[in-house]
């Protein structure tokens, strides 16, 4: 699939902003609206593979079995952005959808991704690719600038039944969300965030769907604890894996497929 614009290498100012704040917005689109419409038109093929009782949040690590998702995760334009943060040697290892249908009460509690992941050191970036226009009206993500520099905070069981995560931080107790930044993205654009940055999102009371695909990347120095997440597989994106800490995943060959293992959920991997 053609890409929206030519490659964008992060500027020194963008790298500094990310280092200081733990996120980056205002990046050139990865896909045009037409390309995004085509990607959206393919989504039902994935949804058709969900089993009874599953929801879109169960589409985890399907890049391992779907070229549809693998091609997005390995899009050179996305990799150029990630390389600007992680440097020349990094791999991709996770993807999942965060979809809030119109008038969905579903929230994402305040959390740090790194708390959930059995991985060290902290050297991971999430790309949040907007499948829809996303803003404060339809439950776009919010993030606490600079919170990635404050260390990892112990999360507690969520009291909210609408949160898609079971562990979270309490605004006003564990931290103050007064200065949270509201992410706004057009379909086809993406944001970047650090695995230690505190972020979450509200419900979607609007008539518009709010869908995004997260793809996670880590420097090759990062090691996953296989005793916690035994299905962890890496796909080298750039450079060389001089550490060889982690298993390598097979490249998918079918357009739409689901893994034959049950991926470890955030909750299962979390240190609750
Ligand atoms: O999509 C959201 O609202 C939250 C996404 C998220 O928690 C993540 O990317 O780690």
């Amino acid at each position: 699939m053609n890409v929206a614009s030519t490659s964008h290498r992060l500027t020194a100012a963008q790298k500094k902003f990310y280092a200081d704040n733990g996120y980056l917005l205002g990046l050139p689109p990865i896909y045009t609206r037409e390309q995004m419409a085509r990607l959206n038109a393919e989504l039902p093929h994935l949804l058709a593979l969900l089993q009874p009782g599953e929801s879109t949040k169960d589409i985890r690590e399907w890049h391992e079995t779907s070229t549809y998702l693998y091609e997005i995760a390995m899009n050179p334009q996305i990799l150029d952005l990630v390389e600007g943060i992680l440097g020349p040697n990094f791999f991709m290892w996770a993807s999942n959808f965060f979809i809030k249908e119109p008038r969905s009460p579903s929230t994402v509690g305040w959390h740090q991704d790194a708390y959930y992941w059995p991985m060290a050191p902290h050297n991971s970036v999430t790309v949040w690719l907007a499948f829809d226009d996303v803003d404060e009206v339809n439950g776009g993500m919010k993030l606490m600038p600079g919170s990635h520099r404050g260390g990892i905070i112990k999360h507690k069981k969520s009291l909210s039944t609408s949160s898609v995560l079971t562990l979270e931080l309490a605004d006003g107790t564990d931290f103050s969300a007064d200065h949270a930044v509201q992410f706004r993205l057009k379909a086809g654009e993406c944001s970047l965030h650090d695995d230690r940055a505190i972020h979450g999102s509200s419900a979607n009371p609007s008539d518009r769907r709010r869908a995004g695909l997260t793809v996670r990347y880590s420097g090759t120095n990062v090691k996953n604890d296989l005793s916690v997440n035994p299905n962890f597989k890496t796909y080298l994106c750039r450079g060389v894996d001089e550490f060889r800490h982690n298993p390598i995943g097979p490249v998918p060959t079918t357009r739409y497929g689901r893994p034959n293992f049950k991926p470890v959920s955030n909750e299962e991997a979390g240190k609750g």
Side-chain angles (χ1 to χ4, degrees):
M1 176 178 285
N2 291 331
V3 287
S5 60
T6 51
S7 160
H8 177 77
R9 298 281 174 174
L10 295 189
T11 63
Q14 286 175 315
K15 290 181 191 180
K16 179 171 182 338
F17 184 92
Y18 184 93
D20 290 346
N21 295 283
Y23 75 95
L24 206 50
L25 291 168
L27 296 162
I30 304 296
Y31 297 104
T32 63
R33 286 194 94 73
E34 294 69 34
Q35 289 165 345
M36 221 45 236
R38 284 206 291 277
L39 288 173
N40 266 309
E42 288 194 60
L43 250 185
H45 293 286
L46 278 194
L47 303 184
L49 300 177
L50 286 168
Q51 288 167 359
E54 291 186 329
S55 68
T56 51
K57 78 177 166 64
D58 295 299
I59 303 179
R60 305 180 71 85
E61 329 315 15
W62 289 20
H63 61 270
E64 297 182 13
T65 43
S66 304
T67 58
Y68 166 63
L69 291 176
Y70 183 82
E71 285 169 11
I72 295 173
M74 297 299 249
N75 180 321
Q77 279 184 264
I78 293 181
L79 302 188
D80 285 346
L81 301 177
V82 176
E83 186 172 339
I85 304 297
L86 294 179
N89 304 319
F90 65 94
F91 56 76
M92 180 270 294
W93 58 275
S95 65
N96 66 294
F97 278 103
F98 283 85
I99 300 181
K100 296 181 197 167
E101 296 296 338
R103 292 170 295 287
S104 164
S106 184
T107 62
V108 178
W110 293 107
H111 69 283
Q112 294 168 297
D113 297 332
Y115 187 80
Y116 281 100
W117 299 340
M119 296 166 74
H122 299 304
N123 188 28
S124 302
V125 173
T126 292
V127 170
W128 201 104
L129 176 67
F131 271 53
D132 298 315
D133 294 348
V134 166
D135 49 43
E136 62 276 33
V137 180
N138 63 352
M141 212 173 93
K142 292 179 273 194
L143 183 144
M144 289 299 306
S147 53
H148 64 304
R149 289 187 271 109
I152 304 299
I153 307 171
K154 183 165 168 50
H155 291 42
K156 300 169 200 107
K157 289 253 179 286
S158 172
L159 298 175
S160 160
T161 49
S162 49
S163 178
V164 300
L165 300 180
T166 56
L167 301 174
E168 63 184 26
L169 298 167
D171 173 15
T173 307
D174 303 314
F175 74 104
S176 162
D178 284 353
H179 303 293
V181 170
Q182 176 68 56
F183 283 19
R184 295 183 188 90
L185 296 166
K186 294 288 180 201
E189 294 180 344
C190 72
S191 59
L192 307 183
H193 70 261
D194 184 283
D195 58 338
R196 295 156 296 184
I198 299 174
H199 60 285
S201 62
S202 312
N204 175 14
S206 79
D207 291 335
R208 288 185 287 129
R209 191 188 70 172
R210 190 225 76 153
L213 175 71
T214 59
V215 189
R216 326 281 189 178
Y217 303 85
S218 299
T220 49
N221 64 326
V222 175
K223 186 172 172 25
N224 166 69
D225 182 348
L226 282 175
S227 71
V228 181
N229 185 0
N231 296 311
F232 187 88
K233 292 186 194 67
T234 61
Y235 295 83
L236 189 64
C237 300
R238 293 274 160 92
V240 286
D241 182 357
E242 67 280 56
F243 294 93
R244 297 170 183 230
H245 283 324
N246 306 291
I248 297 166
V251 174
T253 51
T254 51
R255 189 73 183 155
Y256 317 106
R258 52 176 297 150
N260 59 11
F261 59 86
K262 186 176 177 315
V264 173
S265 68
N266 279 339
E267 290 71 23
E268 287 157 350
K271 321 167 195 120

